[in-house]
Amino acid sequence: MKVAVVGTGHVGLATCVSLAAVGHDVIGTDADRERVAQLQSRQAPFHEPGLQDLLERVVDEGRLRFLHDAAQAVSGAEIVFVCVGTPARASGEANLAAVEKAGREIARSSTGPAVVVEKSTVPAGTARQLQRTLHHERPDLRGQITVASNPEFLREGKAVEDSMDPSRILVGADDPETFRAMRRLYKPFTEKGCPLVETSIVTAELAKHACNAFLALKISYINALARVAERADADVVEIADVMGLDPRIGRSFLDAGLGYGGYCFPKDIAAFERLSRGLHYEFPLLEEIARINREALDAALSKIRAALWNLEEKRIAVLGLSYKAGTDDVRFSPALDLAVRLMEEGAEVAGYDPKANATAAEDLPVLKIYDDAYEAASGAHCVVIAVEWEEFGNLELDRLKEIMAYPVIVDGRNLLDPGKAKVAGFHYYPMGRPAVEP
Ligand code: UDX
């Protein structure tokens, strides 16, 4: 099928490459001219495992192209994905101006029957507004341009894997023709056994909020439990393992630490809360999820303060700057929030990330950033493991101790083996587990 994708961020680009890889004829477009030029020269604009290879392959095979001109990209497309950014306003509400603008552009350039698919993370009700915009712009195409909601569940760092082998495909639409088109689009996936769930538009939109809020709830639950475990001298990792053995609960998303970050969870939960309030339902659990998430970062900060006493004139190495392992994305990164708060308290912060050094430098230019974990840790009074990158789990502890000013580790992601930290002579402070003194 002829597919256009408006917006080539994490979601848009994964959509482009995965649909091209299964044989569709895809054109991607973006308002950022530099990004389009980069993509035209087959360069992935961000780190995402497997993306560069797949991008090169589908471009070389002639199934994926990128155009500056959105009108040209969209005209003739049977399916048009809207994958533009939906940043949060100061109020917590999602800013949907880019979605509306994309809708207007699509309507103006559309040549005939097309399904406009909302894939950006948006509050429930957005598809209706999009539909209205399309009809205002092109009353002549009423009934020919329809809208579907097709929320994305992919995880950054696993975006290619998730989009090539999704756990489920969710399509919300209002009419049989639209469902038929979407079934045809996703046939290569459903043929391999991927479930396709069809619902009304608003149910699909709400289901996306429901999934993200529930995952965030699991994280906040385990982080609150970490605070209790710390006070009771219990071990939250062992508790999570016990909980995980119950198939009704499951072990995933029960890793206590600095809390969730990224472009989806914080924004989505705020938007979901506003949405439910707008529907006259108070949902204080959502605010509580966010509060516990903030508390997780406070807990890490308290551990650092308790270990170092005054932070002025102390050097603290923050290992990991992205919002999670596997990505160079630093948006709403708990690691960067922590770095900022440490600097505000007078500490000298030395940051390092295996993939996100450049994006972190752009986001927080005052942060000193090093090319190597040991360089960052050299002379440090404390090392904070802020992201669960594999290489931090394999740090040579003897070497680390040698180069640090004080042998103190705050393990914000419970990555290290407490026994090994003890043997190496560290004061070791994990999250929700008993501290280890040498
Ligand atoms: C999330 C959803 O998983 C995905 O379905 C949705 O489409 C977009 O938002 P993503 O932001 O890529 O994906 O990351 P995810 O792997 O879900 O992690 C989110 C945050 O939670 C990260 O900051 C991560 O470090 C944190 N996290 C995750 C924990 O703190 N503990 C856990 O046990 C799991």
Side-chain angles (χ1 to χ4, degrees):
M1 292 178 89
K2 286 191 178 315
V3 178
V5 177
V6 182
T8 55
H10 287 84
V11 170
L13 200 50
T15 304
C16 285
V17 294
S18 60
L19 290 176
V22 298
H24 294 299
D25 182 5
V26 185
I27 302 179
T29 182
D30 200 295
D32 180 343
R33 296 186 71 81
E34 221 173 281
R35 171 160 296 200
V36 173
Q38 203 179 350
L39 287 166
Q40 283 172 334
S41 60
R42 307 186 319 164
Q43 276 305 311
F46 43 78
H47 171 74
E48 190 61 59
L51 180 62
Q52 182 61 40
D53 287 351
L54 191 56
L55 175 69
E56 283 175 25
R57 201 187 90 202
V58 290
V59 169
D60 289 348
E61 287 169 356
R63 289 203 294 265
L64 175 60
R65 289 181 295 145
F66 296 95
L67 296 176
H68 292 287
D69 186 349
Q72 206 186 334
V74 160
S75 92
E78 297 158 86
I79 309 272
V80 184
F81 282 97
V82 178
C83 301
V84 296
T86 54
R89 295 182 197 274
S91 60
E93 223 164 4
N95 182 344
L96 301 173
V99 175
E100 183 182 345
K101 186 160 173 267
R104 275 203 307 269
E105 270 174 13
I106 293 164
R108 281 185 210 138
S109 325
S110 189
T111 46
V115 180
V116 178
V117 187
E118 160 207 281
K119 211 169 184 63
S120 300
T121 302
V122 289
T126 304
R128 290 264 174 273
Q129 298 285 9
L130 189 58
Q131 206 157 32
R132 213 176 297 164
T133 303
L134 296 168
H135 292 160
H136 279 320
E137 290 292 326
R138 293 292 297 273
D140 57 313
L141 289 181
R142 206 185 171 94
Q144 290 201 54
I145 312 184
T146 58
V147 169
S149 165
N150 174 213
E152 188 52 73
F153 297 106
L154 57 83
R155 297 160 293 176
E156 286 187 26
K158 296 220 161 60
V160 172
E161 192 183 314
D162 286 351
S163 52
M164 290 307 295
D165 186 17
S167 57
R168 75 287 207 197
I169 295 164
L170 173 58
V171 174
D174 277 346
D175 64 289
E177 214 32 67
T178 304
F179 280 123
R180 257 197 293 280
M182 295 303 283
R183 269 179 230 141
R184 206 147 68 83
L185 179 77
Y186 283 120
K187 196 163 170 223
F189 299 91
T190 51
E191 268 176 345
K192 284 195 301 177
C194 175
L196 179 104
V197 182
E198 297 180 1
T199 66
S200 73
I201 289 180
V202 74
T203 299
E205 289 174 326
L206 206 54
K208 166 75 186 189
H209 282 305
C211 290
N212 276 359
F214 194 80
L215 292 171
L217 169 72
K218 281 188 91 175
I219 299 169
S220 280
Y221 184 84
I222 204 68
N223 280 329
L225 213 60
R227 305 290 80 78
V228 179
E230 277 161 5
R231 286 158 175 79
D233 217 17
D235 187 328
V236 79
V237 177
E238 290 174 358
I239 295 174
D241 290 343
V242 173
M243 291 173 68
L245 288 171
D246 185 330
R248 293 170 301 177
I249 299 174
R251 178 65 178 80
S252 61
F253 280 73
L254 288 179
D255 290 326
L258 300 182
Y260 59 77
Y263 198 55
C264 280
F265 283 180
K267 187 165 71 86
D268 272 17
I269 283 140
F272 192 16
E273 201 201 349
R274 285 192 67 89
L275 173 80
S276 88
R277 195 173 303 150
L279 294 168
H280 310 292
Y281 181 73
E282 292 292 327
F283 201 162
L285 181 60
L286 297 175
E287 169 47 31
E288 193 54 16
I289 292 170
R291 188 196 65 76
I292 294 169
N293 199 53
R294 292 191 292 273
E295 190 182 76
L297 204 70
D298 293 341
L301 206 59
S302 300
K303 284 176 200 290
I304 300 167
R305 279 196 214 105
L308 298 186
W309 192 13
N310 298 300
L311 297 190
E312 284 94 349
E313 294 179 29
K314 299 275 166 55
R315 178 177 163 104
I316 300 173
V318 174
L319 301 187
L321 303 171
S322 56
Y323 81 92
K324 65 168 193 177
T327 179
D328 61 356
D329 195 341
V330 296
R331 292 175 297 178
F332 299 95
S333 162
L336 282 193
D337 281 352
L338 185 68
V340 169
R341 290 182 65 183
L342 291 169
M343 286 190 279
E344 280 168 1
E345 295 198 23
E348 175 197 341
V349 177
Y352 163 71
D353 191 284
K355 295 285 179 207
N357 273 355
T359 41
E362 216 171 288
D363 200 79
L364 191 61
V366 294
L367 181 66
K368 280 193 200 146
I369 295 181
Y370 293 79
D371 290 334
D372 173 69
Y374 298 98
E375 268 180 48
S378 177
H381 299 87
C382 172
V383 157
V384 183
I385 298 177
V387 180
E388 64 286 11
W389 285 105
E390 206 181 319
E391 71 169 69
F392 302 148
N394 299 324
L395 282 169
E396 294 166 41
L397 296 182
D398 293 335
R399 179 176 167 200
L400 200 62
K401 183 158 178 266
E402 198 91 324
I403 58 173
M404 288 177 68
Y406 291 177
V408 176
I409 297 177
V410 172
D411 189 351
R413 296 289 174 186
N414 291 335
L415 204 60
L416 300 185
D417 178 338
K420 287 189 183 155
K422 186 179 171 73
V423 170
F426 276 96
H427 299 263
Y428 173 73
Y429 305 104
M431 304 296 285
R433 320 185 77 176
V436 167
E437 302 292 347

